[in-house]
Amino acid sequence: MYIQFWVYFIYDKRLHEKEMVGLTYAMIGTWRMAYEGLAKALTDLQNGGSSNDAVETAIKEVEDYPFFKSVGYGGLPNAQGLVEMDSAFMDGDTFAIGAVAGISDIKNPISVARKLSHEHFNSFLVGTGATQYAMANAFEARNMLTERARKIWAKRLREISEKNLSPYDGHDTVGVISLDQNNSMAVGTSTSGLFMKKPGRTGDSALSGNGFYVDSEIGGAAATGLGEDLMKGCLSYEIVRLMGTGLTPQQACDQAVYPFVDKLKQRYGKAGEFSLVALNNQGEWGIATNVEFTFAVGTEKQETQVYMANPGPQHTTLIKPVSREWLTAYAKRIKAPID
Ligand code: GLY
């Protein structure tokens, strides 16, 4: 009788919390490129799908689209012309994590990372070990270097020698966080990493606490931007920790990211560009960024929408929906011919 009372009490409390907030599922993803994948995965969540599946579905969509030049097929290669990819998957119920770094010739690194999350040992594989594991486990192989990406790489090589330009550019990870109708959460990341990186270089995206973190009892966070600097702050974990103290995702993002950017500039002398997204287990979300940054979000109540964020005054974030003109210009820009 006593136990039954507490079971009812806890059950009722969860229902009540859900009624108060009025949300049962939600997803957020970094950059405009997350939009289509999110829209597809949110339909699955609406039909009772799991966060784990939703994250994989959304990220595969991005990995498969050839005109996103920082993730999967069509991603820009390293200095030697090889597309080396990093990806991670985390289950917020169990804390299970799988990750790959420097994997090549595999169509969907996120699926490999998810499978590795079922392993207790050997759950984070790098380089040829990661590629061999994927091949041995029948993940689809693919040459990930598109002709378009090869042309961009060759052009950059010319620019480096002719104009003495910095080789490094483009480190836009897709990071996706999901909340499903069972209150389970998951997070995933995928990227081809820093354009023109040295072979073997990896960033934050496959590293727990840096590129991603999720706890279904609190919420999740994911990062995009210069991995070398993101790794100095462990910002995804810090955002989840702050949400666990009762802060909203927006307060947690603002409080974790902006003071760290200041500290990095003071003590390291500079801070690369980076942005973080967060979602809590009530379906509320937040963003912090030190650069103009787009992201996509959708919930039970809110159609999937692309927003633009910018750093605001006094450690705040300015957020507005992107305009139709911006979306049109974006679609044109990512397909513009390479001369
Ligand atoms: N954030 C992705 C990278 O630095 O590779």
Side-chain angles (χ1 to χ4, degrees):
M1 176 67 185
Y2 180 76
I3 290 174
Q4 204 175 28
F5 169 78
W6 280 107
V7 169
Y8 281 138
F9 177 75
I10 292 164
Y11 182 66
D12 272 343
K13 189 165 174 283
R14 279 177 79 155
L15 273 182
H16 181 63
E17 280 169 357
K18 274 196 179 298
E19 268 167 26
M20 297 269 292
V21 180
L23 290 165
T24 52
Y25 58 86
M27 291 185 86
I28 191 164
T30 53
W31 302 110
R32 151 68 187 87
M33 65 182 157
Y35 174 82
E36 285 82 4
L38 244 59
K40 187 173 173 187
L42 277 155
T43 308
D44 297 341
L45 290 181
Q46 184 180 25
N47 295 326
S50 72
S51 276
N52 284 355
D53 287 342
V55 162
E56 185 179 358
T57 298
I59 292 183
K60 277 173 81 171
E61 196 78 10
V62 184
E63 288 176 339
D64 289 343
Y65 189 66
F67 291 100
F68 297 142
K69 61 186 172 125
S70 55
V71 176
Y73 185 58
L76 295 177
N78 68 15
Q80 292 179 349
L82 178 67
V83 183
E84 286 187 317
M85 302 164 289
D86 303 336
S87 178
F89 180 90
M90 182 169 185
D91 177 325
D93 287 355
T94 62
F95 299 118
I97 291 175
V100 288
I103 195 169
S104 50
D105 298 323
I106 294 296
K107 181 173 171 284
N108 293 114
I110 187 63
S111 301
V112 184
R114 182 178 178 185
K115 176 153 174 75
L116 284 168
S117 74
H118 299 128
E119 304 289 340
H120 190 195
F121 301 106
N122 305 301
S123 57
F124 185 175
L125 300 179
V126 304
T128 49
T131 309
Q132 280 167 12
Y133 170 88
M135 302 272 187
N137 284 277
F139 286 94
E140 197 175 331
R142 182 175 211 179
N143 173 8
M144 301 299 274
L145 185 66
T146 60
E147 180 51 20
R148 180 180 179 82
R150 195 202 57 76
K151 275 189 186 167
I152 296 173
W153 173 79
K155 183 175 172 205
R156 180 56 62 95
L157 280 183
R158 284 197 305 275
E159 286 169 350
I160 295 166
S161 70
E162 285 165 17
K163 300 183 199 158
N164 202 22
L165 279 184
S166 162
Y168 304 118
D169 188 14
H171 32 65
D172 300 348
T173 302
V174 64
V176 169
I177 314 163
S178 172
L179 166 70
D180 68 26
Q181 298 192 47
N182 288 321
N183 267 16
S184 292
M185 298 191 73
V187 64
T189 60
S190 185
T191 183
S192 51
L194 187 67
F195 180 30
M196 286 289 176
K197 62 190 176 185
K198 289 198 175 12
R201 176 266 184 197
T202 191
D204 60 296
S205 301
L207 295 183
S208 164
N210 292 280
F212 65 93
Y213 198 77
V214 66
D215 176 343
S216 298
E217 291 182 355
I218 301 172
T224 175
L226 184 65
E228 283 78 354
D229 282 352
L230 279 161
M231 284 191 273
K232 297 179 175 99
C234 301
L235 294 173
S236 291
Y237 181 78
E238 180 61 2
I239 288 170
V240 176
R241 190 192 70 76
L242 286 170
M243 290 194 290
T245 68
L247 298 191
T248 64
Q250 190 54 56
Q251 289 167 337
C253 284
D254 289 343
Q255 288 189 27
V257 175
Y258 298 122
F260 179 70
V261 173
D262 293 346
K263 211 193 252 194
L264 199 56
K265 284 183 185 159
Q266 265 169 19
R267 302 204 355 214
Y268 186 69
K270 57 190 162 197
E273 295 176 351
F274 50 77
S275 314
L276 284 103
V277 297
L279 179 73
N280 70 12
N281 68 356
Q282 310 292 301
E284 300 166 318
W285 50 269
I287 307 293
T289 182
N290 64 359
V291 63
E292 184 174 282
F293 166 63
T294 56
F295 62 99
V297 64
T299 70
E300 183 190 16
K301 293 235 167 111
Q302 181 192 343
E303 286 253 312
T304 314
Q305 159 92 48
V306 181
Y307 292 88
M308 168 89 67
N310 274 284
Q314 283 150 3
H315 291 180
T316 58
T317 309
L318 304 173
I319 297 170
K320 59 175 189 198
V322 297
S323 64
R324 203 176 288 273
E325 293 73 39
W326 187 94
L327 287 170
T328 310
Y330 173 88
K332 214 171 148 188
R333 185 170 71 246
I334 62 170
K335 292 184 180 169
I338 313 296
D339 34 86

